[in-house]
Structures are given as structure tokens and as C-alpha cells.
């Protein structure tokens, strides 16, 4: 049973870089043809797809964030990571990592709250 | 980007009722449509994929239909544990986008 767990700072200052890691347990991040995704949700609002990385290392990003997003894979640690630069208060949200099985986002982490504030 | 429009935005129903939520895509997405359930404070959970296929372990009272631009999500007999917000999501192309959500409450 694959499980995902997000980790990282809960508070980031405006204009700084948000960095989160998703640890994968119960299976290898390199096995199968999956994408590993990041999604965020501001409090009381809907879901926004940020981007994803394939087990091959290829990436896809939401065009609205593309210039500021980097998603990377660390197969030795069975983790993948999100970096979002130049953040603003509007990017305060719960950030989720999820597995994309190409038919759907079928495994999700519990989410981690990131507040952008000075 | 493909816009996904759900209706209604909120819904109140009684235990045992049949509940229907609709989702409309801004362009033809074939059957590349998923439905998720999100309970308060929890991550979304995939319920339906490819518009009508039930994810493993999901109760059979949940169902989905549609293709092209118009889709329907149904709960055949509402249970108290079904209280949640439901989202549709397309995966026809990138970026993946979600509907705004339908909040389901017990009457």
C-alpha cells in the first residue's frame, strides 16, 4: 500500500522560495509508469494542480506557475520535491502531493499547510 | 486551459435520497473525467475515473456517467458518511483542472 507524506516549513516569507518534500513509502518511486504530482488548496477554496514529474524525470508544470516552479525526484531517498519561488501571501494554502496513475490522482498525502507571511 | 463548471455549488439532501451533481467541460474531453470526494480536513479521494469507473473499494452507491462535455455524478442512496465536498477533474490535456466543488450537506 503506497503512502505519501509531505514535509517542509509551515511558514515562508513573502518573495522567498517555498520548498516541500513528499516521501513515498510502501513502494518504489521508480517502479511503474507513474507521475508524481503537487496540488494546492487555499483555505475554503478549490484545488489547483501545480505540476508533476514522471518516473523518467520528465516534468510538466501549470503554465500559470511555470516560471517559478521546479519539481524534482530523488530516487535514492524515494522522495520528490517542490520548489516555488517568489511566493506571495495569496499562495498560502494546503499543499498536497499525489500519485498520478494516468487515469487519476489515486494516492494522496495528508497535506501540509504553508503560510506565506512575514 | 479547460474550464470545469460544477452545479450546484452546494446541496442539501436527506439520508436515503438520490443525489446528482453535474460537471460541464469547456470543450470535448471524451471520457477523461474523474470525481473526487473531500471530507473536511482531509485529502481528496478518487471515487470515479474515466467518467464511469468505480475506483477499487468505493461503495456501489456512487456512480458516474457522461462523455464529451457533460457529466453526472450520482449517489443512489445518500448516507451520513457521504457528507463532503465533491470535485470533478479532467485529464484530457495539461494543465489538469478541477471544478469548483459541490458541498453536500445533510438536511
Amino acid at each position: 500500500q503506497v503512502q505519501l507524506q509531505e514535509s517542509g516549513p509551515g511558514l515562508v516569507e513573502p518573495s522567498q522560495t517555498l520548498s516541500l518534500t513528499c516521501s513515498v513509502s510502501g513502494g518504489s518511486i521508480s517502479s511503474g509508469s507513474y507521475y508524481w504530482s503537487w496540488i494546492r488548496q487555499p483555505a475554503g477554496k478549490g484545488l489547483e494542480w501545480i505540476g508533476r514529474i514522471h518516473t523518467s524525470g520528465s516534468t510538466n508544470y501549470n503554465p500559470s506557475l511555470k516560471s517559478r516552479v521546479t519539481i524534482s525526484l530523488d530516487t535514492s531517498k524515494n522522495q520528490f520535491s517542490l520548489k516555488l519561488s517568489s511566493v506571495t501571501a495569496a499562495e498560502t494554502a494546503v499543499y498536497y502531493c499525489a500519485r498520478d496513475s494516468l487515469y487519476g490522482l489515486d494516492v494522496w498525502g495528508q497535506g501540509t499547510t504553508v503560510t506565506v507571511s512575514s | 486551459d479547460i474550464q470545469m463548471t460544477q452545479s450546484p455549488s452546494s446541496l442539501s439532501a436527506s439520508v436515503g435520497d438520490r443525489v446528482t451533481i453535474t460537471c460541464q467541460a469547456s470543450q470535448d474531453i471524451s471520457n477523461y473525467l474523474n470525481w473526487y470526494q473531500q471530507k473536511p480536513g482531509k485529502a481528496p479521494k478518487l471515487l470515479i475515473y474515466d467518467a464511469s469507473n468505480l475506483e477499487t473499494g468505493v461503495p456501489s452507491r456512487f456512480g458516474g456517467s457522461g462523455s464529451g462535455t457533460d457529466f453526472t455524478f450520482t449517489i443512489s442512496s445518500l448516507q451520513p458518511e457521504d457528507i463532503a465536498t465533491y470535485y470533478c477533474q479532467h485529464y484530457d490535456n495539461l494543465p489538469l483542472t478541477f471544478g469548483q466543488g459541490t458541498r453536500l450537506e445533510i438536511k
Side-chain angles (χ1 to χ4, degrees):
Chain A
Q1 187 88 349
V2 172
Q3 294 184 312
L4 307 181
Q5 177 69 59
E6 305 89 348
S7 61
L11 180 65
V12 180
E13 292 189 356
S15 80
Q16 297 303 303
T17 297
L18 178 159
S19 297
L20 296 174
T21 296
C22 183
S23 298
V24 179
S25 59
S28 171
I29 201 170
S30 301
S31 66
S33 187
Y34 297 112
Y35 284 91
W36 301 93
S37 297
W38 289 96
I39 301 99
R40 66 183 180 182
Q41 184 174 39
K45 296 190 177 181
L47 298 158
E48 180 181 30
W49 179 79
I50 298 171
R52 67 185 187 182
I53 187 165
H54 190 256
T55 50
S56 66
S58 66
T59 54
N60 303 111
Y61 300 130
N62 192 321
S64 67
L65 300 169
K66 187 174 183 177
S67 63
R68 298 190 291 123
V69 174
T70 302
I71 297 175
S72 59
L73 202 62
D74 187 337
T75 55
S76 66
K77 295 182 179 179
N78 224 33
Q79 297 175 338
F80 64 105
S81 298
L82 167 70
K83 291 188 184 299
L84 180 64
S85 64
S86 304
V87 295
T88 68
E91 296 179 291
T92 293
V94 176
Y95 285 75
Y96 294 102
C97 59
R99 186 179 76 175
D100 182 347
S101 297
L102 295 183
Y103 69 84
L105 298 159
D106 65 339
V107 183
W108 292 66
Q110 65 184 26
T112 188
T113 299
V114 178
T115 301
V116 180
S117 174
S118 55
Chain B
D1 299 4
I2 297 175
Q3 306 303 313
M4 308 300 294
T5 304
Q6 284 181 238
S7 63
S9 56
S10 64
L11 176 59
S12 182
S14 300
V15 173
D17 282 355
R18 182 180 183 85
V19 170
T20 299
I21 299 169
T22 64
C23 179
Q24 185 170 59
S26 60
Q27 65 187 65
D28 189 336
I29 58 170
S30 185
N31 67 330
Y32 299 131
L33 190 283
N34 299 328
W35 290 96
Y36 297 83
Q37 175 193 65
Q38 186 178 32
K39 295 184 177 181
K42 301 295 186 182
K45 174 186 176 183
L46 178 65
L47 298 181
I48 303 283
Y49 64 94
D50 290 349
S52 60
N53 292 310
L54 211 58
E55 177 71 334
T56 302
V58 173
S60 59
R61 65 179 179 275
F62 295 100
S65 64
S67 66
T69 61
D70 295 301
F71 301 86
T72 300
F73 172 81
T74 302
I75 305 174
S76 61
S77 179
L78 184 66
Q79 300 301 303
E81 61 266 30
D82 299 336
I83 298 314
T85 299
Y86 293 84
Y87 293 93
C88 62
Q89 173 241 326
H90 86 85
Y91 63 101
D92 181 62
N93 58 19
L94 298 178
L96 306 180
T97 56
F98 295 82
Q100 80 277 19
T102 296
R103 183 174 179 178
L104 179 56
E105 299 175 336
I106 292 285
K107 192 180 294 184

